[in-house]
Amino acid sequence: NSFVTRTNTCGELRSAHVGQEVTLYGWIQYQRQGLFLILRDFQGLTQVIIPQDEAHSHVKKLLSNAPVESVVRVTGIVSSRPPGQENPKMPTGDIEVKAETAEILNSCKKLPFEMKDFIKKSEALRMQYRYLDLRSFRLQYNLRLRSRIVMRMREYLCNLHGFVDVETPTLFKRTPGGAKEFLVPSREAGKFYSLPQSPQQFKQLLMVGGLDRYFQVARCYRDEGSRPDRQPEFTQIDIEMSFVDQAGIQRLIEGLLQYSWPEERGSITTPFPSMTYEEALADYGTDKPDTRFGMKIVDISDFLRRSDIQFVQNALSYPRGTVRAICIPQGARYLKNKDLESLKDSAKSQFNQEIMEIICRPDRSLKSLLTKFLGEKQQSELIQALNIQMDDVVLLAAGEHKQVCSALGSLRLESADLLEAAGLVLRDPTAFHFLWVVDFPLFLPKEENPTELESAHHPFTAPHPSDTSLLYSDPTKVRSQHYDLVLNGSEVGGGSIRIHSAEQQRFVLEKVLKEDSEVLSHLLEALEFGAPPHGGIALGLDRLVSLIVDAPSIRDVIAFPKSFRGRDLMGNAPDYVTPEELEPYHIQVSWPLAEKEAKKN
């Protein structure tokens, strides 16, 4: 209550305050028949008794007629609630305030939606009136918790470990590779700034500048179009250190998360487990495994190599051919036929992968098109290999290793969703399973042209020390010093040890990635002036906080998020500008196209 004219907040009054005169400010959450109202502020709720005597008739009239969500000041005496009228669900439920004077500071007009948390509102409406949505308990809690976490992170990094908080520029130039960047016109004809997708180059340059330990709560921008649960502008906890290795960064982040972790979410255990990229793909079909539940992918290639099943033999004849399966516990009991068909259709449409199912009947016999090709002994071995129990369903896939694993990894998550929708709990919503994924490939084939390579992380990532020679002979086989932090199946952080040799960085850009190194001439030159070995990481703050509070979307932990299509529905941005406003930037808009867009919207 420092610096303000209230004596107390609406969430702090208790029996110890009985008899005191208090002044409260807040919003009217609810009013009942001119008898009492509930006053709300950021901290909680207080019941205010509206006086019924003639001497206070003006106060009664004022408070009885005030619309819900009006802002009021109330001064009155704290009293105990009459016996039997206490409300144990309210922290202030033992008391009430008997109003003596009141003032309507601002009346509220008719609301576009009811403010109660349990009433469903369309997301578009919530975002259009975001300032009203922010009054909800859920968003208030999320934003305050986010603030607390960031404050603790600052303490840990700056006060305990000597990091320097540095703000880096938002207007910069295009970075080759990576996500698409927003362009900002300049007054120089044909020249544009780019909004950085991360402060990557600046943090490396700070290490060249000898700052040793840098961090920033950084605003980042990516022009990725319409992608679910992504934002065109987002926040990351950006970190870089000199003279560090991968293990040092991992220990720092584990300590940082343990220190800043909210008490009400339990404790987290360190060190976090670690898994290679190849292990993650083979066991979970993804580089961000959700390890809260089993249903791991099992390799049954050797077991089925002896069979006469034609599609299995075809798959195994390829160099990276494999046969793998996942076992869905109680699948026959909880999943309907249409669910199984939907899973198979999903694998076919997303991964071009055929799926065969095997169902374990109550008598422990197997029902499948495959059983006629398998003898009793082989069926028994299959049951043992996959630990099949009564009513389990096995989904089997044969083909190229990465395609098979990716398809089964996707089906593992989809079938978990279906089982949980049917009432079987697989993933504890209160559990937090952190995991390091390491030893990623340094380069991947480009989707649009598989003969060319692109960086799996970004072009500044250093090769694994054991694979440095392969960089010059067979770059497709090089592992990187890139590490991802995964929480409950979502990537919440990613980083790497960086290339600090100008010669090696130039080779990667020009010879491997076929990029124009001139765009990065400033960084390449900096690396020639005694750049220290360095590495870092960035934690996605929005994603991390949304997982901690179990929010359905990252939009629920951002004060003013953009819509699914990247629009600000409240301020109606982006918006058109006049030709006169564009003139200093030497830009002309193709207006027919703009008009088409206007009609479409």
Side-chain angles (χ1 to χ4, degrees), residues 239-280:
I239 290 170
E240 198 79 6
M241 295 173 79
S242 296
F243 312 111
V244 71
D245 60 10
Q246 183 169 307
I249 296 283
Q250 289 174 333
R251 283 198 305 273
L252 168 79
I253 295 304
E254 288 166 358
L256 173 70
L257 287 168
Q258 210 166 29
Y259 186 85
S260 59
W261 197 254
E263 279 181 28
E264 61 264 41
R265 287 294 183 268
S267 58
I268 52 175
T269 308
T270 60
F272 301 152
S274 184
M275 186 183 293
T276 68
Y277 168 80
E278 286 298 337
E279 287 169 339

Side-chain angles (χ1 to χ4, degrees), residues 367-380:
K367 175 190 170 189
S368 173
L369 295 173
L370 291 179
T371 48
K372 61 183 175 186
F373 300 103
L374 301 171
E376 265 188 48
K377 184 168 181 287
Q378 285 179 307
Q379 288 189 35
S380 175

Side-chain angles (χ1 to χ4, degrees), residues 13 26 47 53 95 154 222 260 262 281 330 347 388 491 497 552:
L13 295 176
Q47 180 166 291
D53 59 307
I95 60 90
R154 284 186 190 280
R222 288 182 190 169
S260 59
L281 188 65
Q330 303 290 293
I388 304 172
E491 183 194 331
I497 301 302

Side-chain angles (χ1 to χ4, degrees), residues 156-455:
Y156 183 83
L157 293 167
C158 291
N159 299 355
L160 300 185
H161 293 287
F163 279 77
V164 186
D165 183 354
V166 181
E167 294 169 43
T168 54
T170 301
L171 294 174
F172 194 44
K173 65 190 289 187
R174 188 183 74 83
T175 304
K180 203 170 178 190
E181 294 170 336
F182 285 101
L183 296 177
V184 180
S186 77
R187 289 174 184 261
E188 291 185 59
K191 290 189 176 181
F192 292 81
Y193 296 106
S194 276
L195 298 181
Q197 52 189 291
S198 83
Q200 184 60 45
Q201 293 181 54
F202 291 112
K203 64 181 182 177
Q204 290 192 239
L205 293 167
L206 286 168
M207 296 305 102
V208 179
L211 258 81
D212 194 67
R213 296 178 170 211
Y214 142 93
F215 104 97
Q216 179 183 186
V217 181
R219 299 295 288 163
C220 305
Y221 307 87
R222 288 182 190 169
D223 187 6
E224 295 184 315
S226 303
R227 291 187 63 177
D229 222 21
R230 287 282 179 98
Q231 287 283 296
E233 51 181 327
F234 55 97
T235 306
Q236 61 188 36
I237 305 296
D238 201 47
I239 290 170
E240 198 79 6
M241 295 173 79
S242 296
F243 312 111
V244 71
D245 60 10
Q246 183 169 307
I249 296 283
Q250 289 174 333
R251 283 198 305 273
L252 168 79
I253 295 304
E254 288 166 358
L256 173 70
L257 287 168
Q258 210 166 29
Y259 186 85
S260 59
W261 197 254
E263 279 181 28
E264 61 264 41
R265 287 294 183 268
S267 58
I268 52 175
T269 308
T270 60
F272 301 152
S274 184
M275 186 183 293
T276 68
Y277 168 80
E278 286 298 337
E279 287 169 339
L281 188 65
D283 289 349
Y284 296 96
T286 175
D287 59 4
K288 41 179 184 288
D290 188 342
T291 54
R292 286 175 297 171
F293 68 109
M295 285 173 59
K296 281 187 182 180
I297 298 168
V298 180
D299 187 353
I300 52 174
S301 306
D302 290 343
F303 164 72
L304 287 176
R305 208 177 289 279
R306 307 186 300 275
S307 73
D308 299 326
I309 305 168
Q310 193 57 51
F311 79 90
V312 166
Q313 296 307 324
N314 289 347
L316 294 176
S317 67
Y318 292 106
R320 291 273 285 167
T322 188
V323 186
R324 295 184 180 241
I326 57 169
C327 181
I328 305 173
Q330 303 290 293
R333 184 186 300 177
Y334 287 97
L335 301 184
K336 301 181 173 71
N337 280 337
K338 65 168 188 171
D339 294 327
L340 292 175
E341 288 307 315
S342 148
L343 290 170
K344 292 199 282 189
D345 289 347
S346 171
K348 182 69 179 167
S349 62
Q350 288 182 62
F351 302 94
N352 195 26
Q353 179 65 53
E354 296 288 350
I355 298 291
M356 186 80 70
E357 85 255 29
I358 304 168
I359 296 170
C360 185
R361 297 188 182 102
D363 63 359
R364 306 267 299 171
S365 65
L366 299 182
K367 175 190 170 189
S368 173
L369 295 173
L370 291 179
T371 48
K372 61 183 175 186
F373 300 103
L374 301 171
E376 265 188 48
K377 184 168 181 287
Q378 285 179 307
Q379 288 189 35
S380 175
E381 286 174 358
L382 184 66
I383 288 171
Q384 201 171 346
L386 290 163
N387 191 23
I388 304 172
Q389 307 292 323
M390 185 178 76
D391 285 337
D392 285 358
V393 172
V394 170
L395 300 181
L396 180 147
E400 190 274 325
H401 171 75
K402 188 171 182 184
Q403 179 179 309
V404 163
C405 291
S406 299
L408 288 176
S410 178
L411 295 185
R412 174 179 177 265
L413 295 173
E414 284 182 49
S415 52
D417 288 341
L418 289 167
L419 289 175
E420 291 192 329
L424 186 70
V425 178
L426 282 181
R427 295 166 288 198
D428 179 355
T430 64
F432 294 98
H433 285 221
F434 282 98
L435 171 75
W436 289 109
V437 179
V438 299
D439 291 354
F440 283 81
L442 188 57
F443 307 109
L444 293 171
K446 284 185 177 176
E447 269 187 43
E448 64 276 13
N449 184 0
T451 59
E452 292 182 10
L453 295 178
E454 63 184 2
S455 297

